[in-house]
Amino acid sequence: MTDRRDIPYRFEPTDTAAQLHAAHGGLAAGDSSGVQATVAGRLMLRRVQGRLCFGTLDDASGERIQLFAPAAATPDYEEFCALSIGDWVGATGEVMKTRRGELSVQVGDWRLLAEARRPFPDKWHGMADTDTRYRQRYVDLWVTPATRRTFEVRSAAVAAIRAELAARDFTEVETPMLHPIPGGAAARPFVTHHNALDCDFYLRVAPELYLKRLIVGGLPRVFELGRIFRNEGLSPRHSPEFTMLELYQAYADYTDMMVLIEELSAAAAAAATGSTEISAGEGSLDLAPPWRRATMAEVVSEFAGRELPVTGPPGSPAAADLRGEADRLEVATEAGWSAGRILAEIYERRVESELQGPLFVCDFPLEVSPLARRHRRLDGLAERFEAVVAGRELGNAFTELADPDEQRSRFADQEHRRRGGDSEAMTNDEDYLRALSYGLPPTGGLGLGIDRLVMLLCGAETIRDVVLFPTLRPEAGTAGDS
């Protein structure tokens, strides 16, 4: 008798279900292969017909294999018939096809590898409750094939991006998660206390300032692909922790970053899905280069149905005109805002979500771009763009500001905003200014949201669908769970 407590310390399968289907799928119904195979996985279906027991084994290889267990040939047959849905099982036997044409392993030996002590959801219905799906992803991955496919797509997309960057001579690096000063993005940070040093640190809101230090240090092309933390609200497109690709390239500008984003996105789509075309609403979009280029002023003017001003100080006719347009569009603004800041607010609140793209929205107002270099031709604007696909910001990029004196002035403006109540404004970073004083060459930089890219590739409507363990409110009675 097999003791259900007698679980082996290791088990060695010889084949996966996918391999067996590839090697023996051509067997005729009722034929045997004469080949012995050992398989292992979860038992997802089981039925008993007289002195025969049939089980469906899922080993996460992309195929399932049937376990065919005749009472006359299967040791501990009654115990095999008593296995529960979700149990992990290893089985050895001859590969054959049943008379109904089902590729199977005829069970000549088997072992219980892990017992499912909680009932698995019904195979035909999966997990209907979305909160349970996110909270119990370890079950969702087994019973919802689309979930497993999503994370296969994610893995393939990330691998393709890394391969593309390696081919372009980028160096992958790791920079600190704990920052003494929150910086690199306009975002509210998480704060924690380091006991040994007796000081506060902040979970990074962006790796930007550290990566640009590496360009100063002589690494001409660097990237980091990792987690970012922002103490902000939850939405279908926002999570307090998410994954971003951030990279910097010496001797480049924001036009080079446009080419890089569109080529990386197309390569990721092709590697993960086999095509650069993605579903978007009721239609489709093609991520193949080139993407459209348009200025922020152009896309906001197109939305408004008239040409709008772009820049002007607070109280100027341009600011008054844009404030009136914001009121018409029900976009809230504050007294003392410049024309450029109002334009950016209209774009963010009303226009961005209406853009199908893929396109680059270029030339942002300088006052909302504290780390970007001034536009080489247009006063009041910065060489900055956002990549937008299907109404979603996919990436953000600049020609990087390299002048330490101007950067100090921009930081001072951000500090003023912070004292005025803007919790997302940046703080002054003296060490970064010191690094700039050693000389930052002309540099282009970009940030690409990996979660949002995967959402596009999979047609997901919420970021939680593409994050294995999304942040959730703790369950009642389980404080500390996420």
PDB file of all heavy atoms in Angstrom, residues 49 131 137 209 236 270 366 387 458 461 474:
ATOM      1  N   GLN A  49     -14.039   4.253 -14.458  1.00  0.00           N
ATOM      2  CA  GLN A  49     -15.021   3.488 -15.233  1.00  0.00           C
ATOM      3  C   GLN A  49     -14.763   2.014 -14.990  1.00  0.00           C
ATOM      4  O   GLN A  49     -13.864   1.422 -15.602  1.00  0.00           O
ATOM      5  CB  GLN A  49     -14.917   3.809 -16.727  1.00  0.00           C
ATOM      6  CG  GLN A  49     -15.338   5.213 -17.097  1.00  0.00           C
ATOM      7  CD  GLN A  49     -15.249   5.475 -18.586  1.00  0.00           C
ATOM      8  OE1 GLN A  49     -14.309   5.058 -19.239  1.00  0.00           O
ATOM      9  NE2 GLN A  49     -16.250   6.162 -19.126  1.00  0.00           N
ATOM     10  N   ASP A 131     -10.581  38.949  -7.208  1.00  0.00           N
ATOM     11  CA  ASP A 131      -9.749  39.156  -6.029  1.00  0.00           C
ATOM     12  C   ASP A 131      -9.091  37.845  -5.609  1.00  0.00           C
ATOM     13  O   ASP A 131      -7.913  37.815  -5.250  1.00  0.00           O
ATOM     14  CB  ASP A 131     -10.586  39.723  -4.882  1.00  0.00           C
ATOM     15  CG  ASP A 131      -9.733  40.072  -3.671  1.00  0.00           C
ATOM     16  OD1 ASP A 131      -9.049  41.112  -3.716  1.00  0.00           O
ATOM     17  OD2 ASP A 131      -9.740  39.302  -2.687  1.00  0.00           O
ATOM     18  N   ARG A 137      -2.743  33.391  -6.758  1.00  0.00           N
ATOM     19  CA  ARG A 137      -2.221  33.209  -8.108  1.00  0.00           C
ATOM     20  C   ARG A 137      -1.691  31.796  -8.305  1.00  0.00           C
ATOM     21  O   ARG A 137      -1.704  31.259  -9.410  1.00  0.00           O
ATOM     22  CB  ARG A 137      -1.116  34.229  -8.367  1.00  0.00           C
ATOM     23  CG  ARG A 137      -0.626  34.246  -9.783  1.00  0.00           C
ATOM     24  CD  ARG A 137      -1.675  34.833 -10.732  1.00  0.00           C
ATOM     25  NE  ARG A 137      -1.566  36.273 -10.815  1.00  0.00           N
ATOM     26  CZ  ARG A 137      -2.423  37.044 -11.470  1.00  0.00           C
ATOM     27  NH1 ARG A 137      -3.459  36.511 -12.093  1.00  0.00           N
ATOM     28  NH2 ARG A 137      -2.256  38.360 -11.500  1.00  0.00           N
ATOM     29  N   LEU A 209      18.682  59.181 -11.578  1.00  0.00           N
ATOM     30  CA  LEU A 209      19.831  59.984 -11.175  1.00  0.00           C
ATOM     31  C   LEU A 209      21.067  59.120 -10.944  1.00  0.00           C
ATOM     32  O   LEU A 209      22.205  59.571 -11.169  1.00  0.00           O
ATOM     33  CB  LEU A 209      19.494  60.805  -9.934  1.00  0.00           C
ATOM     34  CG  LEU A 209      18.294  61.756 -10.084  1.00  0.00           C
ATOM     35  CD1 LEU A 209      18.137  62.629  -8.848  1.00  0.00           C
ATOM     36  CD2 LEU A 209      18.409  62.611 -11.331  1.00  0.00           C
ATOM     37  N   PRO A 236      -6.548  50.825 -12.757  1.00  0.00           N
ATOM     38  CA  PRO A 236      -6.250  49.788 -13.743  1.00  0.00           C
ATOM     39  C   PRO A 236      -4.872  49.932 -14.384  1.00  0.00           C
ATOM     40  O   PRO A 236      -4.342  48.955 -14.913  1.00  0.00           O
ATOM     41  CB  PRO A 236      -7.375  49.953 -14.773  1.00  0.00           C
ATOM     42  CG  PRO A 236      -8.523  50.499 -13.990  1.00  0.00           C
ATOM     43  CD  PRO A 236      -7.875  51.426 -12.993  1.00  0.00           C
ATOM     44  N   ALA A 270       7.002  40.980 -31.285  1.00  0.00           N
ATOM     45  CA  ALA A 270       7.251  39.880 -32.219  1.00  0.00           C
ATOM     46  C   ALA A 270       7.732  38.641 -31.492  1.00  0.00           C
ATOM     47  O   ALA A 270       7.309  37.516 -31.805  1.00  0.00           O
ATOM     48  CB  ALA A 270       8.270  40.321 -33.264  1.00  0.00           C
ATOM     49  N   LEU A 366       8.608  73.278 -20.429  1.00  0.00           N
ATOM     50  CA  LEU A 366       9.799  73.165 -19.598  1.00  0.00           C
ATOM     51  C   LEU A 366       9.453  73.008 -18.120  1.00  0.00           C
ATOM     52  O   LEU A 366      10.113  72.262 -17.385  1.00  0.00           O
ATOM     53  CB  LEU A 366      10.667  74.410 -19.807  1.00  0.00           C
ATOM     54  CG  LEU A 366      12.126  74.346 -19.359  1.00  0.00           C
ATOM     55  CD1 LEU A 366      12.889  73.307 -20.163  1.00  0.00           C
ATOM     56  CD2 LEU A 366      12.776  75.716 -19.496  1.00  0.00           C
ATOM     57  N   ALA A 387       5.758  58.173 -25.178  1.00  0.00           N
ATOM     58  CA  ALA A 387       5.257  57.199 -26.147  1.00  0.00           C
ATOM     59  C   ALA A 387       3.866  56.783 -25.706  1.00  0.00           C
ATOM     60  O   ALA A 387       3.663  56.367 -24.558  1.00  0.00           O
ATOM     61  CB  ALA A 387       6.184  55.991 -26.199  1.00  0.00           C
ATOM     62  N   CYS A 458      -1.036  41.555 -24.301  1.00  0.00           N
ATOM     63  CA  CYS A 458      -2.016  40.540 -23.893  1.00  0.00           C
ATOM     64  C   CYS A 458      -3.457  41.024 -23.985  1.00  0.00           C
ATOM     65  O   CYS A 458      -4.378  40.242 -23.744  1.00  0.00           O
ATOM     66  CB  CYS A 458      -1.729  40.095 -22.454  1.00  0.00           C
ATOM     67  SG  CYS A 458      -0.154  39.275 -22.237  1.00  0.00           S
ATOM     68  N   GLU A 461      -6.858  44.615 -19.401  1.00  0.00           N
ATOM     69  CA  GLU A 461      -7.474  45.900 -19.066  1.00  0.00           C
ATOM     70  C   GLU A 461      -6.982  46.460 -17.741  1.00  0.00           C
ATOM     71  O   GLU A 461      -7.213  47.626 -17.442  1.00  0.00           O
ATOM     72  CB  GLU A 461      -8.994  45.743 -19.012  1.00  0.00           C
ATOM     73  CG  GLU A 461      -9.620  45.465 -20.369  1.00  0.00           C
ATOM     74  CD  GLU A 461      -9.357  46.588 -21.371  1.00  0.00           C
ATOM     75  OE1 GLU A 461      -9.404  47.761 -20.970  1.00  0.00           O
ATOM     76  OE2 GLU A 461      -9.089  46.284 -22.548  1.00  0.00           O
ATOM     77  N   PRO A 474      -5.071  43.883   2.598  1.00  0.00           N
ATOM     78  CA  PRO A 474      -4.985  42.640   3.370  1.00  0.00           C
ATOM     79  C   PRO A 474      -6.353  42.035   3.642  1.00  0.00           C
ATOM     80  O   PRO A 474      -7.337  42.753   3.863  1.00  0.00           O
ATOM     81  CB  PRO A 474      -4.299  43.087   4.664  1.00  0.00           C
ATOM     82  CG  PRO A 474      -3.545  44.321   4.300  1.00  0.00           C
ATOM     83  CD  PRO A 474      -4.387  45.009   3.248  1.00  0.00           C
TER      84      PRO A 474
END
